[in-house]
PDB file of all heavy atoms in Angstrom:
ATOM      1  N   CYS Z   1     -44.730  -8.096-116.640  1.00 90.00           N
ATOM      2  CA  CYS Z   1     -46.030  -8.439-116.053  1.00 90.00           C
ATOM      3  C   CYS Z   1     -47.148  -8.540-117.080  1.00 90.00           C
ATOM      4  O   CYS Z   1     -48.243  -9.013-116.748  1.00 90.00           O
ATOM      5  CB  CYS Z   1     -46.433  -7.389-115.011  1.00 90.00           C
ATOM      6  SG  CYS Z   1     -45.278  -7.209-113.639  1.00 90.00           S
ATOM      7  N   ILE Z   2     -46.896  -8.085-118.304  1.00 91.00           N
ATOM      8  CA  ILE Z   2     -47.989  -7.975-119.278  1.00 91.00           C
ATOM      9  C   ILE Z   2     -48.643  -9.322-119.562  1.00 91.00           C
ATOM     10  O   ILE Z   2     -49.881  -9.443-119.596  1.00 91.00           O
ATOM     11  CB  ILE Z   2     -47.476  -7.325-120.585  1.00 91.00           C
ATOM     12  CG1 ILE Z   2     -47.189  -5.840-120.340  1.00 91.00           C
ATOM     13  CG2 ILE Z   2     -48.519  -7.464-121.698  1.00 91.00           C
ATOM     14  CD1 ILE Z   2     -46.611  -5.117-121.534  1.00 91.00           C
ATOM     15  N   SER Z   3     -47.826 -10.355-119.774  1.00 91.00           N
ATOM     16  CA  SER Z   3     -48.390 -11.679-120.075  1.00 91.00           C
ATOM     17  C   SER Z   3     -49.291 -12.155-118.949  1.00 91.00           C
ATOM     18  O   SER Z   3     -50.390 -12.678-119.195  1.00 91.00           O
ATOM     19  CB  SER Z   3     -47.259 -12.693-120.303  1.00 91.00           C
ATOM     20  OG  SER Z   3     -46.471 -12.332-121.397  1.00 91.00           O
ATOM     21  N   HIS Z   4     -48.828 -11.962-117.716  1.00 92.00           N
ATOM     22  CA  HIS Z   4     -49.621 -12.407-116.569  1.00 92.00           C
ATOM     23  C   HIS Z   4     -50.907 -11.607-116.441  1.00 92.00           C
ATOM     24  O   HIS Z   4     -51.973 -12.163-116.159  1.00 92.00           O
ATOM     25  CB  HIS Z   4     -48.809 -12.307-115.277  1.00 92.00           C
ATOM     26  CG  HIS Z   4     -49.568 -12.714-114.062  1.00 92.00           C
ATOM     27  ND1 HIS Z   4     -50.027 -11.802-113.128  1.00 92.00           N
ATOM     28  CD2 HIS Z   4     -50.004 -13.930-113.639  1.00 92.00           C
ATOM     29  CE1 HIS Z   4     -50.674 -12.453-112.182  1.00 92.00           C
ATOM     30  NE2 HIS Z   4     -50.680 -13.727-112.459  1.00 92.00           N
ATOM     31  N   ILE Z   5     -50.824 -10.295-116.655  1.00 93.00           N
ATOM     32  CA  ILE Z   5     -52.026  -9.454-116.578  1.00 93.00           C
ATOM     33  C   ILE Z   5     -53.061  -9.903-117.614  1.00 93.00           C
ATOM     34  O   ILE Z   5     -54.258 -10.009-117.308  1.00 93.00           O
ATOM     35  CB  ILE Z   5     -51.663  -7.968-116.791  1.00 93.00           C
ATOM     36  CG1 ILE Z   5     -50.848  -7.450-115.599  1.00 93.00           C
ATOM     37  CG2 ILE Z   5     -52.914  -7.119-116.973  1.00 93.00           C
ATOM     38  CD1 ILE Z   5     -50.275  -6.066-115.798  1.00 93.00           C
ATOM     39  N   LEU Z   6     -52.610 -10.210-118.816  1.00 93.00           N
ATOM     40  CA  LEU Z   6     -53.535 -10.683-119.854  1.00 93.00           C
ATOM     41  C   LEU Z   6     -54.149 -12.027-119.469  1.00 93.00           C
ATOM     42  O   LEU Z   6     -55.351 -12.249-119.676  1.00 93.00           O
ATOM     43  CB  LEU Z   6     -52.794 -10.803-121.194  1.00 93.00           C
ATOM     44  CG  LEU Z   6     -52.360  -9.488-121.841  1.00 93.00           C
ATOM     45  CD1 LEU Z   6     -51.520  -9.760-123.087  1.00 93.00           C
ATOM     46  CD2 LEU Z   6     -53.562  -8.624-122.196  1.00 93.00           C
ATOM     47  N   ALA Z   7     -53.336 -12.922-118.897  1.00 94.00           N
ATOM     48  CA  ALA Z   7     -53.861 -14.225-118.454  1.00 94.00           C
ATOM     49  C   ALA Z   7     -54.903 -14.058-117.355  1.00 94.00           C
ATOM     50  O   ALA Z   7     -55.921 -14.763-117.330  1.00 94.00           O
ATOM     51  CB  ALA Z   7     -52.713 -15.114-117.962  1.00 94.00           C
ATOM     52  N   VAL Z   8     -54.658 -13.110-116.448  1.00 94.00           N
ATOM     53  CA  VAL Z   8     -55.617 -12.824-115.371  1.00 94.00           C
ATOM     54  C   VAL Z   8     -56.936 -12.320-115.960  1.00 94.00           C
ATOM     55  O   VAL Z   8     -58.018 -12.767-115.566  1.00 94.00           O
ATOM     56  CB  VAL Z   8     -55.031 -11.790-114.381  1.00 94.00           C
ATOM     57  CG1 VAL Z   8     -56.119 -11.262-113.440  1.00 94.00           C
ATOM     58  CG2 VAL Z   8     -53.903 -12.421-113.562  1.00 94.00           C
ATOM     59  N   LEU Z   9     -56.851 -11.401-116.909  1.00 94.00           N
ATOM     60  CA  LEU Z   9     -58.064 -10.853-117.526  1.00 94.00           C
ATOM     61  C   LEU Z   9     -58.827 -11.926-118.298  1.00 94.00           C
ATOM     62  O   LEU Z   9     -60.057 -11.997-118.233  1.00 94.00           O
ATOM     63  CB  LEU Z   9     -57.699  -9.695-118.465  1.00 94.00           C
ATOM     64  CG  LEU Z   9     -57.138  -8.440-117.795  1.00 94.00           C
ATOM     65  CD1 LEU Z   9     -56.724  -7.416-118.843  1.00 94.00           C
ATOM     66  CD2 LEU Z   9     -58.147  -7.832-116.831  1.00 94.00           C
ATOM     67  N   VAL Z  10     -58.093 -12.786-119.019  1.00 93.00           N
ATOM     68  CA  VAL Z  10     -58.720 -13.855-119.804  1.00 93.00           C
ATOM     69  C   VAL Z  10     -59.476 -14.820-118.897  1.00 93.00           C
ATOM     70  O   VAL Z  10     -60.524 -15.365-119.281  1.00 93.00           O
ATOM     71  CB  VAL Z  10     -57.643 -14.600-120.632  1.00 93.00           C
ATOM     72  CG1 VAL Z  10     -58.153 -15.943-121.108  1.00 93.00           C
ATOM     73  CG2 VAL Z  10     -57.222 -13.751-121.822  1.00 93.00           C
ATOM     74  N   PHE Z  11     -58.978 -15.028-117.691  1.00 93.00           N
ATOM     75  CA  PHE Z  11     -59.640 -15.956-116.763  1.00 93.00           C
ATOM     76  C   PHE Z  11     -60.759 -15.279-115.979  1.00 93.00           C
ATOM     77  O   PHE Z  11     -61.880 -15.800-115.901  1.00 93.00           O
ATOM     78  CB  PHE Z  11     -58.621 -16.535-115.776  1.00 93.00           C
ATOM     79  CG  PHE Z  11     -59.227 -17.447-114.738  1.00 93.00           C
ATOM     80  CD1 PHE Z  11     -59.610 -18.739-115.071  1.00 93.00           C
ATOM     81  CD2 PHE Z  11     -59.436 -17.018-113.442  1.00 93.00           C
ATOM     82  CE1 PHE Z  11     -60.186 -19.592-114.123  1.00 93.00           C
ATOM     83  CE2 PHE Z  11     -60.004 -17.855-112.479  1.00 93.00           C
ATOM     84  CZ  PHE Z  11     -60.374 -19.144-112.822  1.00 93.00           C
ATOM     85  N   TYR Z  12     -60.495 -14.104-115.405  1.00 92.00           N
ATOM     86  CA  TYR Z  12     -61.443 -13.518-114.458  1.00 92.00           C
ATOM     87  C   TYR Z  12     -62.624 -12.809-115.113  1.00 92.00           C
ATOM     88  O   TYR Z  12     -63.709 -12.758-114.529  1.00 92.00           O
ATOM     89  CB  TYR Z  12     -60.716 -12.553-113.501  1.00 92.00           C
ATOM     90  CG  TYR Z  12     -60.021 -13.283-112.384  1.00 92.00           C
ATOM     91  CD1 TYR Z  12     -58.660 -13.514-112.420  1.00 92.00           C
ATOM     92  CD2 TYR Z  12     -60.742 -13.771-111.295  1.00 92.00           C
ATOM     93  CE1 TYR Z  12     -58.020 -14.204-111.392  1.00 92.00           C
ATOM     94  CE2 TYR Z  12     -60.113 -14.459-110.265  1.00 92.00           C
ATOM     95  CZ  TYR Z  12     -58.757 -14.670-110.333  1.00 92.00           C
ATOM     96  OH  TYR Z  12     -58.139 -15.358-109.316  1.00 92.00           O
ATOM     97  N   ILE Z  13     -62.444 -12.266-116.307  1.00 90.00           N
ATOM     98  CA  ILE Z  13     -63.582 -11.612-116.965  1.00 90.00           C
ATOM     99  C   ILE Z  13     -64.701 -12.618-117.260  1.00 90.00           C
ATOM    100  O   ILE Z  13     -65.871 -12.374-116.933  1.00 90.00           O
ATOM    101  CB  ILE Z  13     -63.132 -10.862-118.242  1.00 90.00           C
ATOM    102  CG1 ILE Z  13     -62.324  -9.618-117.861  1.00 90.00           C
ATOM    103  CG2 ILE Z  13     -64.342 -10.469-119.095  1.00 90.00           C
ATOM    104  CD1 ILE Z  13     -61.740  -8.859-119.037  1.00 90.00           C
ATOM    105  N   PRO Z  14     -64.406 -13.792-117.856  1.00 88.00           N
ATOM    106  CA  PRO Z  14     -65.475 -14.791-118.012  1.00 88.00           C
ATOM    107  C   PRO Z  14     -66.038 -15.301-116.685  1.00 88.00           C
ATOM    108  O   PRO Z  14     -67.236 -15.594-116.597  1.00 88.00           O
ATOM    109  CB  PRO Z  14     -64.788 -15.927-118.786  1.00 88.00           C
ATOM    110  CG  PRO Z  14     -63.648 -15.295-119.477  1.00 88.00           C
ATOM    111  CD  PRO Z  14     -63.172 -14.215-118.548  1.00 88.00           C
ATOM    112  N   VAL Z  15     -65.183 -15.422-115.647  1.00 85.00           N
ATOM    113  CA  VAL Z  15     -65.669 -15.854-114.330  1.00 85.00           C
ATOM    114  C   VAL Z  15     -66.718 -14.878-113.809  1.00 85.00           C
ATOM    115  O   VAL Z  15     -67.791 -15.280-113.333  1.00 85.00           O
ATOM    116  CB  VAL Z  15     -64.502 -15.964-113.316  1.00 85.00           C
ATOM    117  CG1 VAL Z  15     -65.035 -16.069-111.885  1.00 85.00           C
ATOM    118  CG2 VAL Z  15     -63.648 -17.189-113.619  1.00 85.00           C
ATOM    119  N   ILE Z  16     -66.413 -13.593-113.917  1.00 83.00           N
ATOM    120  CA  ILE Z  16     -67.368 -12.568-113.480  1.00 83.00           C
ATOM    121  C   ILE Z  16     -68.631 -12.644-114.340  1.00 83.00           C
ATOM    122  O   ILE Z  16     -69.755 -12.540-113.835  1.00 83.00           O
ATOM    123  CB  ILE Z  16     -66.728 -11.166-113.571  1.00 83.00           C
ATOM    124  CG1 ILE Z  16     -65.578 -11.045-112.550  1.00 83.00           C
ATOM    125  CG2 ILE Z  16     -67.771 -10.078-113.323  1.00 83.00           C
ATOM    126  CD1 ILE Z  16     -64.722  -9.810-112.739  1.00 83.00           C
ATOM    127  N   GLY Z  17     -68.445 -12.854-115.648  1.00 81.00           N
ATOM    128  CA  GLY Z  17     -69.594 -12.959-116.552  1.00 81.00           C
ATOM    129  C   GLY Z  17     -70.504 -14.115-116.187  1.00 81.00           C
ATOM    130  O   GLY Z  17     -71.731 -13.970-116.136  1.00 81.00           O
ATOM    131  N   VAL Z  18     -69.920 -15.283-115.912  1.00 78.00           N
ATOM    132  CA  VAL Z  18     -70.709 -16.456-115.525  1.00 78.00           C
ATOM    133  C   VAL Z  18     -71.465 -16.189-114.233  1.00 78.00           C
ATOM    134  O   VAL Z  18     -72.655 -16.514-114.102  1.00 78.00           O
ATOM    135  CB  VAL Z  18     -69.795 -17.698-115.373  1.00 78.00           C
ATOM    136  CG1 VAL Z  18     -70.539 -18.835-114.676  1.00 78.00           C
ATOM    137  CG2 VAL Z  18     -69.313 -18.166-116.734  1.00 78.00           C
ATOM    138  N   SER Z  19     -70.788 -15.586-113.242  1.00 76.00           N
ATOM    139  CA  SER Z  19     -71.427 -15.300-111.955  1.00 76.00           C
ATOM    140  C   SER Z  19     -72.596 -14.338-112.119  1.00 76.00           C
ATOM    141  O   SER Z  19     -73.672 -14.540-111.542  1.00 76.00           O
ATOM    142  CB  SER Z  19     -70.396 -14.708-110.981  1.00 76.00           C
ATOM    143  OG  SER Z  19     -69.342 -15.607-110.755  1.00 76.00           O
ATOM    144  N   MET Z  20     -72.385 -13.286-112.910  1.00 77.00           N
ATOM    145  CA  MET Z  20     -73.435 -12.296-113.108  1.00 77.00           C
ATOM    146  C   MET Z  20     -74.624 -12.903-113.860  1.00 77.00           C
ATOM    147  O   MET Z  20     -75.785 -12.653-113.509  1.00 77.00           O
ATOM    148  CB  MET Z  20     -72.874 -11.106-113.898  1.00 77.00           C
ATOM    149  CG  MET Z  20     -71.770 -10.350-113.183  1.00 77.00           C
ATOM    150  SD  MET Z  20     -72.342  -9.523-111.678  1.00 77.00           S
ATOM    151  CE  MET Z  20     -73.247  -8.156-112.363  1.00 77.00           C
ATOM    152  N   ILE Z  21     -74.346 -13.712-114.880  1.00 77.00           N
ATOM    153  CA  ILE Z  21     -75.414 -14.327-115.672  1.00 77.00           C
ATOM    154  C   ILE Z  21     -76.262 -15.263-114.809  1.00 77.00           C
ATOM    155  O   ILE Z  21     -77.501 -15.251-114.869  1.00 77.00           O
ATOM    156  CB  ILE Z  21     -74.816 -15.096-116.868  1.00 77.00           C
ATOM    157  CG1 ILE Z  21     -74.290 -14.128-117.925  1.00 77.00           C
ATOM    158  CG2 ILE Z  21     -75.839 -16.037-117.477  1.00 77.00           C
ATOM    159  CD1 ILE Z  21     -75.357 -13.411-118.704  1.00 77.00           C
ATOM    160  N   HIS Z  22     -75.590 -16.079-113.982  1.00 70.00           N
ATOM    161  CA  HIS Z  22     -76.315 -17.051-113.158  1.00 70.00           C
ATOM    162  C   HIS Z  22     -77.189 -16.370-112.105  1.00 70.00           C
ATOM    163  O   HIS Z  22     -78.243 -16.894-111.728  1.00 70.00           O
ATOM    164  CB  HIS Z  22     -75.338 -18.006-112.478  1.00 70.00           C
ATOM    165  CG  HIS Z  22     -75.048 -19.235-113.294  1.00 70.00           C
ATOM    166  ND1 HIS Z  22     -75.972 -20.229-113.512  1.00 70.00           N
ATOM    167  CD2 HIS Z  22     -73.933 -19.616-113.966  1.00 70.00           C
ATOM    168  CE1 HIS Z  22     -75.451 -21.160-114.278  1.00 70.00           C
ATOM    169  NE2 HIS Z  22     -74.216 -20.819-114.576  1.00 70.00           N
ATOM    170  N   ARG Z  23     -76.754 -15.199-111.616  1.00 69.00           N
ATOM    171  CA  ARG Z  23     -77.488 -14.555-110.536  1.00 69.00           C
ATOM    172  C   ARG Z  23     -78.485 -13.513-111.020  1.00 69.00           C
ATOM    173  O   ARG Z  23     -79.538 -13.325-110.430  1.00 69.00           O
ATOM    174  CB  ARG Z  23     -76.492 -13.921-109.547  1.00 69.00           C
ATOM    175  CG  ARG Z  23     -75.897 -14.965-108.614  1.00 69.00           C
ATOM    176  CD  ARG Z  23     -74.572 -14.507-107.994  1.00 69.00           C
ATOM    177  NE  ARG Z  23     -74.005 -15.563-107.159  1.00 69.00           N
ATOM    178  CZ  ARG Z  23     -73.388 -16.636-107.620  1.00 69.00           C
ATOM    179  NH1 ARG Z  23     -73.265 -16.809-108.919  1.00 69.00           N
ATOM    180  NH2 ARG Z  23     -72.897 -17.552-106.814  1.00 69.00           N
ATOM    181  N   PHE Z  24     -78.146 -12.793-112.102  1.00 70.00           N
ATOM    182  CA  PHE Z  24     -78.997 -11.683-112.520  1.00 70.00           C
ATOM    183  C   PHE Z  24     -79.520 -11.800-113.953  1.00 70.00           C
ATOM    184  O   PHE Z  24     -80.319 -10.966-114.377  1.00 70.00           O
ATOM    185  CB  PHE Z  24     -78.225 -10.357-112.394  1.00 70.00           C
ATOM    186  CG  PHE Z  24     -77.614 -10.141-111.029  1.00 70.00           C
ATOM    187  CD1 PHE Z  24     -76.236 -10.170-110.862  1.00 70.00           C
ATOM    188  CD2 PHE Z  24     -78.417  -9.938-109.920  1.00 70.00           C
ATOM    189  CE1 PHE Z  24     -75.668  -9.976-109.609  1.00 70.00           C
ATOM    190  CE2 PHE Z  24     -77.867  -9.745-108.670  1.00 70.00           C
ATOM    191  CZ  PHE Z  24     -76.495  -9.772-108.503  1.00 70.00           C
ATOM    192  N   GLY Z  25     -79.061 -12.822-114.686  1.00 66.00           N
ATOM    193  CA  GLY Z  25     -79.449 -12.904-116.090  1.00 66.00           C
ATOM    194  C   GLY Z  25     -80.385 -14.041-116.405  1.00 66.00           C
ATOM    195  O   GLY Z  25     -80.323 -14.630-117.484  1.00 66.00           O
ATOM    196  N   ARG Z  26     -81.265 -14.365-115.452  1.00 69.00           N
ATOM    197  CA  ARG Z  26     -82.166 -15.503-115.659  1.00 69.00           C
ATOM    198  C   ARG Z  26     -83.141 -15.295-116.812  1.00 69.00           C
ATOM    199  O   ARG Z  26     -83.656 -16.259-117.374  1.00 69.00           O
ATOM    200  CB  ARG Z  26     -82.943 -15.775-114.358  1.00 69.00           C
ATOM    201  CG  ARG Z  26     -82.039 -16.240-113.220  1.00 69.00           C
ATOM    202  CD  ARG Z  26     -82.787 -16.337-111.919  1.00 69.00           C
ATOM    203  NE  ARG Z  26     -81.899 -16.674-110.820  1.00 69.00           N
ATOM    204  CZ  ARG Z  26     -82.264 -16.695-109.536  1.00 69.00           C
ATOM    205  NH1 ARG Z  26     -83.511 -16.406-109.219  1.00 69.00           N
ATOM    206  NH2 ARG Z  26     -81.394 -17.007-108.600  1.00 69.00           N
ATOM    207  N   HIS Z  27     -83.407 -14.042-117.147  1.00 77.00           N
ATOM    208  CA  HIS Z  27     -84.375 -13.761-118.212  1.00 77.00           C
ATOM    209  C   HIS Z  27     -83.705 -13.620-119.584  1.00 77.00           C
ATOM    210  O   HIS Z  27     -84.391 -13.417-120.577  1.00 77.00           O
ATOM    211  CB  HIS Z  27     -85.157 -12.489-117.889  1.00 77.00           C
ATOM    212  CG  HIS Z  27     -85.880 -12.552-116.567  1.00 77.00           C
ATOM    213  ND1 HIS Z  27     -86.883 -13.467-116.325  1.00 77.00           N
ATOM    214  CD2 HIS Z  27     -85.735 -11.841-115.417  1.00 77.00           C
ATOM    215  CE1 HIS Z  27     -87.347 -13.305-115.090  1.00 77.00           C
ATOM    216  NE2 HIS Z  27     -86.654 -12.333-114.515  1.00 77.00           N
ATOM    217  N   LEU Z  28     -82.371 -13.731-119.620  1.00 77.00           N
ATOM    218  CA  LEU Z  28     -81.676 -13.656-120.897  1.00 77.00           C
ATOM    219  C   LEU Z  28     -81.904 -14.938-121.695  1.00 77.00           C
ATOM    220  O   LEU Z  28     -82.188 -15.988-121.116  1.00 77.00           O
ATOM    221  CB  LEU Z  28     -80.174 -13.456-120.664  1.00 77.00           C
ATOM    222  CG  LEU Z  28     -79.745 -12.095-120.105  1.00 77.00           C
ATOM    223  CD1 LEU Z  28     -78.254 -12.112-119.776  1.00 77.00           C
ATOM    224  CD2 LEU Z  28     -80.036 -10.986-121.100  1.00 77.00           C
ATOM    225  N   PRO Z  29     -81.792 -14.874-123.014  1.00 79.00           N
ATOM    226  CA  PRO Z  29     -81.932 -16.097-123.824  1.00 79.00           C
ATOM    227  C   PRO Z  29     -80.949 -17.170-123.373  1.00 79.00           C
ATOM    228  O   PRO Z  29     -79.817 -16.858-122.983  1.00 79.00           O
ATOM    229  CB  PRO Z  29     -81.613 -15.606-125.248  1.00 79.00           C
ATOM    230  CG  PRO Z  29     -81.874 -14.142-125.228  1.00 79.00           C
ATOM    231  CD  PRO Z  29     -81.561 -13.676-123.836  1.00 79.00           C
ATOM    232  N   HIS Z  30     -81.383 -18.428-123.453  1.00 79.00           N
ATOM    233  CA  HIS Z  30     -80.559 -19.520-122.951  1.00 79.00           C
ATOM    234  C   HIS Z  30     -79.230 -19.634-123.694  1.00 79.00           C
ATOM    235  O   HIS Z  30     -78.220 -20.055-123.122  1.00 79.00           O
ATOM    236  CB  HIS Z  30     -81.322 -20.845-123.065  1.00 79.00           C
ATOM    237  CG  HIS Z  30     -80.633 -21.977-122.394  1.00 79.00           C
ATOM    238  ND1 HIS Z  30     -80.333 -21.977-121.044  1.00 79.00           N
ATOM    239  CD2 HIS Z  30     -80.137 -23.142-122.891  1.00 79.00           C
ATOM    240  CE1 HIS Z  30     -79.704 -23.095-120.738  1.00 79.00           C
ATOM    241  NE2 HIS Z  30     -79.572 -23.817-121.841  1.00 79.00           N
ATOM    242  N   ILE Z  31     -79.213 -19.211-124.948  1.00 82.00           N
ATOM    243  CA  ILE Z  31     -77.980 -19.292-125.723  1.00 82.00           C
ATOM    244  C   ILE Z  31     -76.890 -18.405-125.123  1.00 82.00           C
ATOM    245  O   ILE Z  31     -75.693 -18.714-125.221  1.00 82.00           O
ATOM    246  CB  ILE Z  31     -78.240 -18.926-127.208  1.00 82.00           C
ATOM    247  CG1 ILE Z  31     -77.018 -19.270-128.051  1.00 82.00           C
ATOM    248  CG2 ILE Z  31     -78.620 -17.462-127.355  1.00 82.00           C
ATOM    249  CD1 ILE Z  31     -77.259 -19.152-129.538  1.00 82.00           C
ATOM    250  N   VAL Z  32     -77.294 -17.299-124.475  1.00 82.00           N
ATOM    251  CA  VAL Z  32     -76.319 -16.409-123.832  1.00 82.00           C
ATOM    252  C   VAL Z  32     -75.636 -17.125-122.675  1.00 82.00           C
ATOM    253  O   VAL Z  32     -74.407 -17.055-122.515  1.00 82.00           O
ATOM    254  CB  VAL Z  32     -77.012 -15.114-123.334  1.00 82.00           C
ATOM    255  CG1 VAL Z  32     -76.027 -14.236-122.560  1.00 82.00           C
ATOM    256  CG2 VAL Z  32     -77.607 -14.349-124.500  1.00 82.00           C
ATOM    257  N   HIS Z  33     -76.407 -17.846-121.864  1.00 79.00           N
ATOM    258  CA  HIS Z  33     -75.839 -18.629-120.758  1.00 79.00           C
ATOM    259  C   HIS Z  33     -74.818 -19.636-121.287  1.00 79.00           C
ATOM    260  O   HIS Z  33     -73.737 -19.803-120.719  1.00 79.00           O
ATOM    261  CB  HIS Z  33     -76.955 -19.366-120.010  1.00 79.00           C
ATOM    262  CG  HIS Z  33     -77.858 -18.471-119.230  1.00 79.00           C
ATOM    263  ND1 HIS Z  33     -77.821 -18.390-117.850  1.00 79.00           N
ATOM    264  CD2 HIS Z  33     -78.824 -17.594-119.625  1.00 79.00           C
ATOM    265  CE1 HIS Z  33     -78.723 -17.525-117.440  1.00 79.00           C
ATOM    266  NE2 HIS Z  33     -79.344 -17.036-118.493  1.00 79.00           N
ATOM    267  N   CYS Z  34     -75.180 -20.324-122.368  1.00 84.00           N
ATOM    268  CA  CYS Z  34     -74.298 -21.347-122.940  1.00 84.00           C
ATOM    269  C   CYS Z  34     -72.997 -20.744-123.441  1.00 84.00           C
ATOM    270  O   CYS Z  34     -71.912 -21.252-123.158  1.00 84.00           O
ATOM    271  CB  CYS Z  34     -74.999 -22.076-124.079  1.00 84.00           C
ATOM    272  SG  CYS Z  34     -76.194 -23.297-123.523  1.00 84.00           S
ATOM    273  N   LEU Z  35     -73.106 -19.657-124.191  1.00 85.00           N
ATOM    274  CA  LEU Z  35     -71.916 -19.060-124.788  1.00 85.00           C
ATOM    275  C   LEU Z  35     -70.959 -18.523-123.729  1.00 85.00           C
ATOM    276  O   LEU Z  35     -69.736 -18.673-123.846  1.00 85.00           O
ATOM    277  CB  LEU Z  35     -72.313 -17.947-125.769  1.00 85.00           C
ATOM    278  CG  LEU Z  35     -73.047 -18.420-127.033  1.00 85.00           C
ATOM    279  CD1 LEU Z  35     -73.453 -17.235-127.895  1.00 85.00           C
ATOM    280  CD2 LEU Z  35     -72.164 -19.381-127.836  1.00 85.00           C
ATOM    281  N   ILE Z  36     -71.505 -17.897-122.673  1.00 86.00           N
ATOM    282  CA  ILE Z  36     -70.651 -17.387-121.589  1.00 86.00           C
ATOM    283  C   ILE Z  36     -69.924 -18.538-120.901  1.00 86.00           C
ATOM    284  O   ILE Z  36     -68.734 -18.439-120.570  1.00 86.00           O
ATOM    285  CB  ILE Z  36     -71.500 -16.597-120.562  1.00 86.00           C
ATOM    286  CG1 ILE Z  36     -72.008 -15.296-121.175  1.00 86.00           C
ATOM    287  CG2 ILE Z  36     -70.681 -16.298-119.309  1.00 86.00           C
ATOM    288  CD1 ILE Z  36     -70.939 -14.265-121.435  1.00 86.00           C
ATOM    289  N   ALA Z  37     -70.625 -19.644-120.692  1.00 85.00           N
ATOM    290  CA  ALA Z  37     -70.006 -20.812-120.055  1.00 85.00           C
ATOM    291  C   ALA Z  37     -68.889 -21.378-120.919  1.00 85.00           C
ATOM    292  O   ALA Z  37     -67.830 -21.764-120.415  1.00 85.00           O
ATOM    293  CB  ALA Z  37     -71.059 -21.879-119.774  1.00 85.00           C
ATOM    294  N   TYR Z  38     -69.111 -21.439-122.234  1.00 88.00           N
ATOM    295  CA  TYR Z  38     -68.071 -21.941-123.134  1.00 88.00           C
ATOM    296  C   TYR Z  38     -66.858 -21.002-123.143  1.00 88.00           C
ATOM    297  O   TYR Z  38     -65.712 -21.463-123.171  1.00 88.00           O
ATOM    298  CB  TYR Z  38     -68.614 -22.106-124.557  1.00 88.00           C
ATOM    299  CG  TYR Z  38     -69.489 -23.318-124.739  1.00 88.00           C
ATOM    300  CD1 TYR Z  38     -70.783 -23.208-125.243  1.00 88.00           C
ATOM    301  CD2 TYR Z  38     -69.013 -24.595-124.404  1.00 88.00           C
ATOM    302  CE1 TYR Z  38     -71.590 -24.327-125.418  1.00 88.00           C
ATOM    303  CE2 TYR Z  38     -69.819 -25.708-124.572  1.00 88.00           C
ATOM    304  CZ  TYR Z  38     -71.111 -25.569-125.067  1.00 88.00           C
ATOM    305  OH  TYR Z  38     -71.899 -26.679-125.228  1.00 88.00           O
ATOM    306  N   VAL Z  39     -67.122 -19.695-123.134  1.00 88.00           N
ATOM    307  CA  VAL Z  39     -66.019 -18.727-123.086  1.00 88.00           C
ATOM    308  C   VAL Z  39     -65.207 -18.929-121.806  1.00 88.00           C
ATOM    309  O   VAL Z  39     -63.965 -18.914-121.819  1.00 88.00           O
ATOM    310  CB  VAL Z  39     -66.563 -17.279-123.165  1.00 88.00           C
ATOM    311  CG1 VAL Z  39     -65.467 -16.273-122.835  1.00 88.00           C
ATOM    312  CG2 VAL Z  39     -67.137 -17.005-124.546  1.00 88.00           C
ATOM    313  N   TYR Z  40     -65.892 -19.143-120.703  1.00 87.00           N
ATOM    314  CA  TYR Z  40     -65.251 -19.321-119.396  1.00 87.00           C
ATOM    315  C   TYR Z  40     -64.362 -20.567-119.359  1.00 87.00           C
ATOM    316  O   TYR Z  40     -63.245 -20.539-118.830  1.00 87.00           O
ATOM    317  CB  TYR Z  40     -66.347 -19.398-118.329  1.00 87.00           C
ATOM    318  CG  TYR Z  40     -65.938 -19.976-116.999  1.00 87.00           C
ATOM    319  CD1 TYR Z  40     -64.840 -19.500-116.303  1.00 87.00           C
ATOM    320  CD2 TYR Z  40     -66.691 -20.998-116.415  1.00 87.00           C
ATOM    321  CE1 TYR Z  40     -64.485 -20.027-115.069  1.00 87.00           C
ATOM    322  CE2 TYR Z  40     -66.358 -21.525-115.182  1.00 87.00           C
ATOM    323  CZ  TYR Z  40     -65.245 -21.033-114.510  1.00 87.00           C
ATOM    324  OH  TYR Z  40     -64.895 -21.560-113.297  1.00 87.00           O
ATOM    325  N   LEU Z  41     -64.824 -21.677-119.962  1.00 87.00           N
ATOM    326  CA  LEU Z  41     -64.112 -22.952-119.830  1.00 87.00           C
ATOM    327  C   LEU Z  41     -63.192 -23.276-121.007  1.00 87.00           C
ATOM    328  O   LEU Z  41     -62.200 -23.985-120.830  1.00 87.00           O
ATOM    329  CB  LEU Z  41     -65.124 -24.090-119.659  1.00 87.00           C
ATOM    330  CG  LEU Z  41     -65.887 -24.077-118.331  1.00 87.00           C
ATOM    331  CD1 LEU Z  41     -67.018 -25.081-118.357  1.00 87.00           C
ATOM    332  CD2 LEU Z  41     -64.945 -24.372-117.172  1.00 87.00           C
ATOM    333  N   VAL Z  42     -63.493 -22.772-122.191  1.00 90.00           N
ATOM    334  CA  VAL Z  42     -62.734 -23.161-123.378  1.00 90.00           C
ATOM    335  C   VAL Z  42     -61.700 -22.115-123.772  1.00 90.00           C
ATOM    336  O   VAL Z  42     -60.577 -22.457-124.163  1.00 90.00           O
ATOM    337  CB  VAL Z  42     -63.690 -23.436-124.565  1.00 90.00           C
ATOM    338  CG1 VAL Z  42     -62.903 -23.802-125.818  1.00 90.00           C
ATOM    339  CG2 VAL Z  42     -64.682 -24.546-124.215  1.00 90.00           C
ATOM    340  N   VAL Z  43     -62.046 -20.840-123.652  1.00 91.00           N
ATOM    341  CA  VAL Z  43     -61.184 -19.785-124.188  1.00 91.00           C
ATOM    342  C   VAL Z  43     -59.865 -19.612-123.420  1.00 91.00           C
ATOM    343  O   VAL Z  43     -58.799 -19.526-124.055  1.00 91.00           O
ATOM    344  CB  VAL Z  43     -61.960 -18.451-124.270  1.00 91.00           C
ATOM    345  CG1 VAL Z  43     -61.026 -17.293-124.619  1.00 91.00           C
ATOM    346  CG2 VAL Z  43     -63.067 -18.565-125.312  1.00 91.00           C
TER     347      VAL Z  43
END
C-alpha cells in the first residue's frame, strides 16, 4: 500500500493547500497563491 499512500498524499495535500489558500489566504502574497497552484497541478 505504500506507493498508493504516497500518491494519495502527493495529490491531496496540494488540493487542501489550494482550497485553504483560496478561502483563507487572500492577504498572503500573490506569489504564494501561484506556487501552491503549480505544486497542485505540476508536482
Side-chain angles (χ1 to χ4, degrees):
C1 300
I2 289 177
S3 298
H4 179 253
I5 291 172
L6 291 174
V8 168
L9 293 176
V10 162
F11 177 76
Y12 279 101
I13 289 176
V15 166
I16 293 169
V18 167
S19 300
M20 297 295 286
I21 288 288
H22 270 290
R23 281 159 183 77
F24 307 111
R26 294 173 185 173
H27 303 297
L28 290 173
H30 188 59
I31 191 171
V32 175
H33 290 253
C34 283
L35 293 177
I36 291 291
Y38 284 125
V39 169
Y40 163 52
L41 291 170
V42 178
V43 171

